[in-house]
Amino acid sequence: MNVKPVLSTLALLGAAGFLGACATPSTELADCAQGDVRLTQDFSGSPAYACTRTGPAAFQLAVAPESAPINPSPWFAFDLEAERETGVSVQLDYGEYEHRYRPEINHGDGIWAALPDTAVRLEAGDSVAVISVDIGPGIVRIAGQEVFGVEDRAQWRAEFAARNGLTRQTIGQSIDRQPVEALSRSASAQNAPLIVILGGQHPPEVTGVLGLRAFLETLLGSASGDNPLDLYEWLIIPDLNPDGVDRGHWRQNLGRMDLNRDWGPFTQPETAAVLAELETRVSEGQVPFLMLDFHSTHRDVLYTPPDDLGLSPDNFAADWIAILNGIWPGEGEAFARGPGHNPDLPTSKTWFATRFGAPGITVEFGDETDRGRIMMLAQTAAQALRIYLEDAQAENEAAGFLPPGNARPD
């Protein structure tokens, strides 16, 4: 079995316990939830797919999106429980979609491990996946990737903020009245440049969660002394789509909206909350400087503005990436780069560049990127940003000025 080094990663990132918050199973799941071998979907991060028992230890899940059309991210997460050791089969029927996420298993000990290739059989042009595992006695959790439910995410935010002296603020509520929480760090003077860091727009993008947490731990966890970070305001919103996470959605919030297609329209309470917070800060004199938005896709890539778009700071993406590659301890380049603007696509990066004339960058980690590589990528990216800010501070001081609002008192 190919066991990923997730235990140490989760310990470092402050992950919570194995079981998430429970909810009442739907009546569709009643048959699957009874008997000597049971399949349940009653924790935060698990979808409520229609479940059919096809044998004493065999089940079928109809893996369907929250709405269509949709980005094909067919997420799954469920618990299996048996009174004694037994072999269990679970068929994932994706309908018109195809298998994407390689299943992982958690025996309740904090370790997530990828199931071996022999445990997963693809059929019908990859639109059906049959998972075969030996379990029991007890409970195991199987999911597309590690599960981070809303309680785990709230616990991480609280612990991270406490460790690093960040202020926690509820800036809005989701449709289901869950908090949209921001973490902030104030500059040493008023009217400072503002750096915004986002995450959690798309529920199953777990590698983006791991990358975001490692990035923030590295960037802010070592802040001390004469710190260039003090010259900037920091607004961090790690979990923008709590409803979608809670229900195991593929992509959307409860309003059936891909939140990363709502930057400009701002029809959803989650994105509208971020807009209101940004407008308040700008009205108070803060100057938007940079947005980083963390996601997952099929590869490690940075989607950046083109270098000739005329944004300020000038050539940020090229300069940051050059620093990143210069200190990258691995082979080749750390991330691929995909420059583009797409003004007709209402994503966070495009809106931020259009609205404020400042760079917005989407930071993407691959679905199956090794967890150790994710840590190294995120840590190196954070170190590169810190170096960039230090260099900018030195250049400004040499030129006789500092970023707006950060002039030192006489």
Side-chain angles (χ1 to χ4, degrees):
M1 181 177 291
N2 177 26
V3 179
K4 297 180 181 177
V6 173
L7 179 59
S8 60
T9 299
L10 296 185
L12 174 64
L13 299 180
F18 165 59
L19 292 178
C22 293
T24 303
S26 71
T27 56
E28 289 181 306
L29 307 181
D31 182 58
C32 294
Q34 299 175 2
D36 292 338
V37 181
R38 300 175 288 280
L39 185 153
T40 56
Q41 305 170 88
D42 55 3
F43 55 90
S44 181
S46 176
Y49 294 140
C51 179
T52 303
R53 183 185 291 275
T54 58
F59 307 89
Q60 181 186 62
L61 289 177
V63 181
E66 55 270 21
S67 70
I70 198 168
N71 178 281
S73 305
W75 169 256
F76 55 89
F78 54 87
D79 284 343
L80 294 174
E81 184 175 9
E83 301 299 323
R84 61 190 64 84
E85 186 173 348
T86 186
V88 181
S89 172
V90 180
Q91 182 187 86
L92 305 175
D93 187 346
Y94 297 113
E96 64 183 276
Y97 299 94
E98 294 182 353
H99 182 72
R100 173 171 175 175
Y101 298 111
R102 181 178 181 182
E104 297 190 23
I105 189 167
N106 185 336
H107 292 274
D109 54 5
I111 298 175
W112 285 92
L115 287 175
D117 292 340
T118 54
V120 183
R121 184 176 76 254
L122 298 180
E123 301 176 348
D126 295 350
S127 66
V128 172
V130 180
I131 300 173
S132 300
V133 293
D134 294 326
I135 69 165
I139 303 175
V140 300
R141 178 161 295 173
I142 294 176
Q145 300 185 81
E146 301 93 320
V147 176
F148 295 106
V150 291
E151 287 191 345
D152 165 84
R153 294 174 187 238
Q155 180 176 332
W156 182 85
R157 293 194 305 270
E159 293 176 351
F160 177 75
R163 285 195 306 273
N164 296 286
L166 303 181
T167 300
R168 298 170 61 196
Q169 175 191 2
T170 297
I171 61 171
Q173 289 185 326
S174 67
I175 291 175
D176 201 30
R177 304 187 67 80
Q178 297 194 71
V180 176
E181 187 174 66
L183 312 178
S184 61
R185 187 176 190 273
S186 296
S188 54
Q190 295 180 343
N191 303 331
L194 172 65
I195 296 178
V196 181
I197 300 177
L198 298 176
Q201 293 204 69
H202 298 146
E205 296 185 0
V206 170
T207 57
V209 175
L210 293 171
L212 170 63
R213 292 183 180 186
F215 178 89
L216 291 173
E217 294 280 8
T218 302
L219 183 68
L220 300 179
S222 59
S224 62
D226 186 11
N227 190 342
L229 305 187
D230 293 340
L231 300 178
Y232 298 84
E233 290 282 344
W234 296 84
L235 176 64
I236 303 165
I237 306 167
D239 302 296
L240 189 56
N241 188 358
D243 294 349
V245 166
D246 200 27
R247 287 161 175 77
H249 282 184
W250 294 15
R251 190 80 170 178
Q252 301 170 345
N253 71 340
L254 278 189
R256 296 188 175 185
M257 171 64 74
D258 179 341
L259 292 183
N260 204 30
R261 300 296 183 271
D262 192 43
W263 291 82
F266 294 105
T267 63
Q268 301 303 300
E270 298 90 346
T271 50
V274 180
L275 173 64
E277 179 66 17
L278 288 174
E279 288 181 335
T280 297
R281 287 171 172 263
V282 169
S283 71
E284 293 172 350
Q286 296 178 24
V287 181
F289 180 86
L290 170 68
M291 172 186 280
L292 300 177
D293 186 7
F294 284 73
H295 289 263
S296 303
T297 188
H298 299 287
R299 59 179 180 147
D300 307 318
V301 59
L302 299 175
Y303 291 117
T304 74
D307 292 333
D308 60 356
L309 197 58
L311 304 179
S312 179
D314 186 40
N315 291 325
F316 170 83
D319 292 342
W320 179 45
I321 293 171
I323 297 171
L324 199 165
N325 287 329
I327 63 173
W328 171 241
E331 296 182 359
E333 293 184 341
F335 291 91
R337 183 184 180 187
H341 183 52
N342 302 318
D344 296 328
L345 192 64
T347 62
S348 63
K349 67 177 285 290
T350 296
W351 175 81
F352 195 80
T354 301
R355 173 65 178 82
F356 298 118
I361 295 177
T362 305
V363 183
E364 302 262 14
F365 297 88
D367 293 336
E368 295 191 14
T369 299
D370 178 83
R371 275 37 180 175
R373 176 178 167 85
I374 290 174
M375 291 288 291
M376 190 162 62
L377 283 169
Q379 290 169 348
T380 307
Q383 292 163 1
L385 179 58
R386 189 181 181 90
I387 291 171
Y388 176 93
L389 297 178
E390 289 172 345
D391 290 347
Q393 179 185 14
E395 290 177 5
N396 288 330
E397 289 180 339
F401 65 92
L402 292 171
N406 287 286
R408 290 180 176 150
D410 294 334

